[in-house]
Amino acid sequence: MNRRLFAALLIGGAASGAARLLAATEPGIEVSVAASRFEYTPDKVKGKVGVPLTFVLTSLDRIHGFKMPEFGIRTDIVPDKETRVTITPTKPGTFTFFCDIFCGDGHEDMAGTLVVEG
Amino acid sequence: MQQTDRRQFLKLAGLAGVTFTAGLFPRGPADAQSGDFHFVQFSDTHWGYKGAANPDAEHTLERAVATVNGLATKPDFIVFTGDLTHTTDDGKLRRERMQRFKEIVSALSVKDVRFMPGEHDASLDKGEAFKEFFGATHWTFDHKGVHFIALDNVSDPGAKLGDEQLAWLAADLKQRKTDDRIVVFTHRPLFDLVPNWDWATADGAKAVALLMPYQNVVVFYGHIHQEHHHMTGHIAHHAAKSLIFPQAAPGTAPKRPPPPPFDASLAPLGTRDVAMAKAVTITELPVVKA
């Protein structure tokens, strides 16, 4: 995947100091996350400070959102399409990712947690 | 209406609501002839909800209607700021809930009643059913020297106002003088209250920027199921309680906690009376159990 495509996926990422583009040659972590009403699987993800983390996002049913305000990123997750979003955490802590496209009764509970270790 | 009169009529109505007063029109009314008046805000009635957070759900809305009908001085109008019904994937059931909701609120003795959608009403079908029952999802009207604007930040499931509506808002505001009194109704907060809990409007900052040149603007909204007051510059934003269940206080956990256990007194639920004069006075109206 080239840098231009990464840039398209990182909607709003430039607004946050916590998110940076992943260079193609830079080692990092990849984690696959499947979205379905009203959960992410897995809903707990681990990351490390300074290590690029790529979410490989798929949807099992309908369009969902994936938003992490602390990292300035959000994207749609569309069925039958793999969506990749990369962040590089700059500090340890617990961060939430959640669906920001209303998807029904239970939408409000559709969230997961990223735990970043130092 | 004078402050003392309002206290008197609320006392007569047996309502011991908490009153919040602020100089919400900081520059004062633009029109010296503007008359004082009051209106009532209902929000987040979620008709059709069934669950442990409110076992009284089938009756709470009716109780609130009775409470407001019992006010000694009738409000000039009533506004519902969204989530009239609880969401469902079934379009037929959604319409049945809207129909029943309409029947219940038809018992309001005040007949000037205005409706806005919440995401539970409109986000799954882009407002289609809501429009069938309640008309437009964003609108304006003028009343006794105050310009009211209802913004729809829910029909787009991504919680956006959208460029078209923002252009509509800009065109409407161009017709106003900068010291006009303007009241905005929305469902979601226009500012980033708790983005992690989805308590925000994706492009709400654009609406606030359009409103910022106007000196006397107040925003009333719902969505968060509790009383909350916030300022963006000189613009005050006031969230209303719901009529179904309360939510956790903003930002108290990384993920939004589930609603607290049901309080049989219904104390966390209610509507609010808003008196419009030089200062705007908000009086919370608890649901009165028969």
Side-chain angles (χ1 to χ4, degrees), chain B residues 212-274:
Chain B
M212 201 54 79
Y214 298 86
Q215 298 164 4
N216 298 303
V217 179
V218 185
V219 181
F220 294 95
Y221 68 101
H223 190 56
I224 69 168
H225 295 206
Q226 62 195 284
E227 188 184 358
H228 188 267
H229 309 280
H230 178 83
M231 300 293 293
T232 53
H234 62 280
I235 299 175
H237 304 254
H238 303 284
K241 292 178 178 176
S242 83
L243 285 169
I244 196 68
F245 49 75
Q247 297 278 16
T252 47
K255 286 171 65 173
R256 197 182 68 180
F262 177 63
D263 179 343
S265 75
L266 304 181
L269 311 180
T271 59
R272 64 166 35 153
D273 181 274
V274 182

Side-chain angles (χ1 to χ4, degrees), chain A residues 37 69-70 96 98 102 105 108, chain B residues 86 89 120 157 195-196 254 256:
Chain A
R37 299 196 325 165
E70 291 96 341
T96 302
F98 60 90
F102 189 83
D105 190 5
E108 290 91 344
Chain B
H86 198 70
D89 293 345
H120 278 251
N196 278 7
R256 197 182 68 180

Side-chain angles (χ1 to χ4, degrees), chain B residues 52-56 60 63 246 260-269 287-290:
Chain B
N54 187 350
D56 184 64
T60 308
R63 296 187 205 283
F262 177 63
D263 179 343
S265 75
L266 304 181
L269 311 180
V287 177
V288 177
K289 294 186 81 170

Side-chain angles (χ1 to χ4, degrees), chain B residues 42 60-70 80 104-109 243 271:
Chain B
F42 283 65
T60 308
L61 177 56
E62 289 173 335
R63 296 187 205 283
V65 168
T67 300
V68 172
N69 282 345
F80 284 77
I104 293 169
V105 302
S106 70
L108 285 163
S109 56
L243 285 169
T271 59

Side-chain angles (χ1 to χ4, degrees), chain A residues 25-86:
Chain A
T25 56
E26 199 171 350
I29 304 168
E30 273 198 6
V31 58
S32 295
V33 176
S36 61
R37 299 196 325 165
F38 301 100
E39 61 186 6
Y40 295 101
T41 306
D43 65 355
K44 289 185 178 59
V45 174
K46 286 186 178 177
K48 289 184 178 177
V49 171
V51 178
L53 169 63
T54 298
F55 290 93
V56 182
L57 304 167
T58 52
S59 171
L60 304 180
D61 45 27
R62 69 188 303 282
I63 185 169
H64 291 285
F66 182 87
K67 187 171 183 177
M68 298 189 79
E70 291 96 341
F71 293 88
I73 60 167
R74 85 150 304 278
T75 186
D76 292 344
I77 312 173
V78 180
D80 303 321
K81 182 183 172 187
E82 189 178 275
T83 301
R84 301 170 71 91
V85 177
T86 301

Side-chain angles (χ1 to χ4, degrees), chain A residues 91-95 114-117:
Chain A
K91 60 181 180 183
T94 300
F95 306 93
L114 166 66
V115 178
V116 178
E117 297 171 343

